[in-house]
Amino acid sequence: MKIKNIIIAGLSAIFLCQPTTADDLVIMHTNDVHGNIVPEKTKYAGGLARRKVVIDSIRNTEEHSLLVDAGDDVQGFLYFTAFGGEVEYGGMNKLGYDIVTIGNHEFDNGLEALAKNYKILKAEKICANYNFDKTPLKGMTKEYVIKKFDDKKIAFIGIGCQPEGMILPGNRIGMEYKDAAFVADSIATMLKSKGKADYVIVLSHIGYKTSRPNLPCDSILALNSKDINIIIGGHSHTRIDSKSNNHQSLFKNKVGKTVLVAQTGSNGEYLGKITIDLDALDETPKSELIKIDARYDDRTDPRIAEWLKPYDKGVEEMKQIIIGKSAAEYPNRGTNPLSNWVADKIYEIGETVTDKHIDFAIGNKGGIRKPLPKGDISLGLIHTMLPFENYVNVIELDGKSIIDAFDIMASRDGDAVSKHIKATFKNKKTTEILINGKPINPNRTYIIATISYLYEGGDNMEPLTRAKLLGKTEVSLKYSMIDIIKEMTKNNQQINPDPTPRMFFE
């Protein structure tokens, strides 16, 4: 290590260990870690062992501290694919999480699986706007918890996102939803008016900004609340850095008091740190982000690596199985060649399901979780690129509903569609859809290949739920894609997506 790097690492350690006063409460927080247990490469941020270095350093220097999480603990890395949450929740125990709320991806394998995972997790689980009384999670969560520091009572309320369009109906059977913003503010007012709490922190998984009208979000909750002091958020993967002012972090609520909104981005790349002066609760708390990167590698706890060994073996095996090659590097951000390729393959897979002519295919760019590198493509990479248990569905839908669906895609700056589509958007609305070169006819029906998540209304695609199901694959999309890549390799073909844009924004 160069002398300069040694000095920087040393200064970093000193900075982390600078104690606040005994009258301060330090809240460490994460959100949307998505199971980033071990960084793929040293240069990448995140990682369980690195995070533990920082957390332990803060704990060892603070009289009062808590570690909390705002949801989406799993889904996106091979540990969840291989072990279903055992590693993520066992790892959270190793780090000593105190309180967590629930993200939408916690439901990806259904309520039975979530209940099994929550039996592993020792942290208190809070969610006030989901009623689990008729589910396997009955009795496992609370609406809120109250922690006492010196003579101050600090309440934590948990809220989750609107499940419609985010959580498949089959994965939340029996769960009842109540409006997140109304519930959070009502409980905050009750706790303060009855003297049960002096200060209220909301752990939220509803997102920093709303993705569609009438949906609650952290920024609107902050503006419309009266008794909430801090909102620690998740879901939107927003990195709120007060030093760079990249997103507004301070809001004035209905009675003119300041509400802090904090969020760390995603994949555990940052740890949030909020410092509250217990002797001056009306003062704005300090908020900062600490990057979790390679500078902590020489101080990690060897017991973490030892604990991970049995799990690492299964993950590494998946990474070593090469099934194909990619002609170039293809990012997974926005509508791009990779989303084109996935949509085109959904179309091809759909053709094996029905003997009817398919007009086009729709995928979702949000379901493509990893980019493709140039060169060798491993089995593990495809599992992380397409981690969800989606099946290809062939559906029949009227043109008017298709236009409604494209308006939803327009609101999120496009999505994945097959080569048969050319769509034009203006001001978040659809102005033209060409299907195989012809304008869409609102009065006729079309045959579409899509994925089960979208057909069931995921990603807010309610218009697709109006369709008639004609057929579906027996294996999930990722396994169909693995078979396609293997067949391409046999024919000496590489992954080489069509780069032609399919969606245009005026």
Side-chain angles (χ1 to χ4, degrees):
M1 181 184 288
K2 294 181 180 179
I3 296 297
K4 180 180 177 182
N5 291 339
I6 294 173
I7 294 172
I8 290 173
L11 289 174
S12 172
I14 292 170
F15 170 75
L16 286 177
C17 293
Q18 289 296 315
T20 57
T21 71
D23 298 319
D24 287 337
L25 167 63
V26 173
I27 307 291
M28 298 172 282
H29 62 97
T30 54
N31 59 271
D32 301 281
V33 175
H34 285 294
N36 187 7
I37 301 296
V38 177
E40 296 291 323
K41 296 179 182 177
T42 303
K43 67 177 181 178
Y44 291 173
L48 187 72
R50 293 173 179 174
R51 206 176 344 142
K52 189 175 189 300
V53 173
V54 182
I55 290 165
D56 287 349
S57 177
I58 293 172
R59 274 207 185 105
N60 291 336
T61 56
E62 301 297 339
E63 182 176 346
H64 305 307
S65 67
L66 286 170
L67 177 60
V68 304
D69 182 81
D72 274 6
D73 311 313
V74 297
Q75 190 63 273
F77 292 85
L78 284 174
Y79 289 95
F80 187 67
T81 304
F83 302 103
E86 180 181 337
V87 183
E88 289 85 346
Y89 291 107
M92 291 177 78
N93 289 341
K94 297 288 183 186
L95 271 56
Y97 275 82
D98 297 291
I99 308 169
V100 303
T101 197
I102 303 175
N104 53 295
H105 284 294
E106 272 80 308
F107 294 84
D108 280 358
N109 290 343
L111 287 169
E112 290 280 359
L114 177 53
K116 180 180 178 182
N117 284 332
Y118 268 11
K119 286 177 183 177
I120 297 171
L121 181 62
K122 296 176 181 177
E124 293 186 271
K125 301 97 177 167
I126 57 173
C127 190
N129 66 318
Y130 292 169
N131 185 328
F132 291 113
D133 285 351
K134 298 177 182 178
T135 78
L137 265 72
K138 181 180 180 180
M140 299 183 74
T141 66
K142 302 174 183 177
E143 291 186 341
Y144 61 87
V145 296
I146 297 172
K147 300 291 184 181
K148 193 169 183 180
F149 298 93
D150 295 335
D151 61 342
K152 301 298 190 300
K153 291 167 285 188
I154 313 297
F156 291 81
I157 303 168
I159 53 174
C161 66
Q162 160 65 262
E164 294 292 337
M166 284 288 114
I167 304 169
L168 293 178
N171 289 350
R172 52 180 167 88
I173 296 171
M175 186 188 84
E176 298 174 359
Y177 168 80
K178 292 179 284 187
D179 181 78
F182 174 78
V183 168
D185 196 41
S186 298
I187 293 176
T189 298
M190 179 273 293
L191 291 173
K192 284 189 174 180
S193 65
K194 292 188 175 182
K196 293 185 176 183
D198 302 300
Y199 202 83
V200 173
I201 298 171
V202 172
L203 290 186
S204 154
H205 198 82
I206 61 175
Y208 178 72
K209 288 185 177 180
T210 185
S211 58
R212 49 185 169 136
N214 303 318
L215 269 188
C217 65
D218 293 336
S219 51
I220 293 176
L221 173 59
L223 291 168
N224 292 332
S225 65
K226 291 184 292 185
D227 291 293
I228 294 169
N229 300 97
I230 297 175
I231 300 171
I232 296 175
H235 190 48
S236 57
H237 296 195
T238 310
R239 181 164 60 88
I240 304 175
D241 189 343
S242 57
K243 292 182 179 178
S244 63
N245 296 317
N246 59 338
H247 290 92
Q248 184 177 345
S249 60
L250 300 177
F251 297 82
K252 291 293 183 182
N253 69 7
K254 274 189 172 182
V255 294
K257 293 187 177 181
T258 299
V259 179
L260 170 69
V261 176
Q263 199 177 144
T264 65
S266 64
N267 295 331
E269 295 182 355
Y270 289 86
L271 179 76
K273 180 184 177 187
I274 299 171
T275 304
I276 302 166
D277 187 339
L278 294 171
D279 285 338
L281 291 180
D282 286 336
E283 290 188 3
T284 303
K286 298 175 183 177
S287 178
E288 60 186 296
L289 296 179
I290 302 168
K291 189 157 189 178
I292 307 301
D293 56 21
R295 61 185 159 163
Y296 305 114
D297 284 349
D298 61 348
R299 288 183 283 150
T300 56
D301 186 340
R303 290 173 295 183
I304 293 291
E306 190 65 28
W307 173 72
L308 281 172
K309 272 184 181 179
Y311 304 110
D312 287 341
K313 182 179 179 183
V315 167
E316 286 303 316
E317 286 176 355
M318 295 177 74
K319 289 181 180 179
Q320 298 306 316
I321 300 173
I322 304 302
I323 60 173
K325 286 187 178 294
S326 176
E329 182 177 351
Y330 299 105
N332 65 318
R333 299 296 181 189
T335 53
N336 51 47
L338 184 55
S339 63
N340 286 354
W341 183 72
V342 171
D344 287 343
K345 296 308 172 187
I346 290 172
Y347 183 95
E348 292 177 17
I349 295 165
E351 288 184 309
T352 68
V353 174
T354 180
D355 57 2
K356 295 180 180 290
H357 171 72
I358 297 174
D359 294 291
F360 64 96
I362 300 175
N364 67 328
K365 63 186 181 185
I368 306 171
R369 307 297 281 198
K370 284 282 186 181
L372 275 182
K374 181 180 180 179
D376 289 344
I377 301 300
S378 71
L379 177 66
L381 179 60
I382 300 303
H383 274 283
T384 53
M385 187 182 87
L386 301 168
F388 306 114
E389 287 301 312
N390 284 311
Y391 293 78
V392 174
N393 288 186
V394 176
I395 60 176
E396 186 176 26
L397 186 63
D398 65 276
K400 174 61 172 62
S401 294
I402 292 170
I403 294 170
D404 291 343
F406 272 75
D407 280 343
I408 292 168
M409 289 190 267
S411 72
R412 54 175 176 254
D413 299 321
D415 228 319
V417 291
S418 65
K419 60 186 178 182
H420 313 86
I421 290 289
K422 180 180 178 182
T424 305
F425 306 126
K426 185 175 182 179
N427 298 327
K428 304 291 186 180
K429 295 289 286 185
T430 308
T431 57
E432 183 182 53
I433 302 173
L434 299 179
I435 302 175
N436 294 303
K438 296 179 181 180
I440 188 169
N441 182 347
N443 299 314
R444 64 156 281 195
T445 59
Y446 294 85
I447 308 298
I448 306 166
T450 189
I451 56 174
S452 51
Y453 179 67
L454 297 181
Y455 168 61
E456 295 176 25
D459 273 2
N460 305 318
M461 291 290 272
E462 180 276 332
L464 297 192
T465 66
R466 308 169 197 165
K468 176 183 178 182
L469 179 64
L470 301 180
K472 63 181 290 186
T473 55
E474 294 183 358
V475 298
S476 64
L477 173 62
K478 60 185 170 185
Y479 288 107
S480 295
M481 295 292 268
I482 288 166
D483 289 340
I484 287 171
I485 295 169
K486 288 179 177 179
E487 189 64 28
M488 291 172 65
T489 302
K490 287 181 183 177
N491 296 323
N492 294 317
Q493 296 175 329
Q494 297 186 14
I495 298 172
N496 191 13
D498 171 21
T500 307
R502 297 164 184 185
M503 291 187 166
F504 303 85
F505 299 87
E506 295 180 343

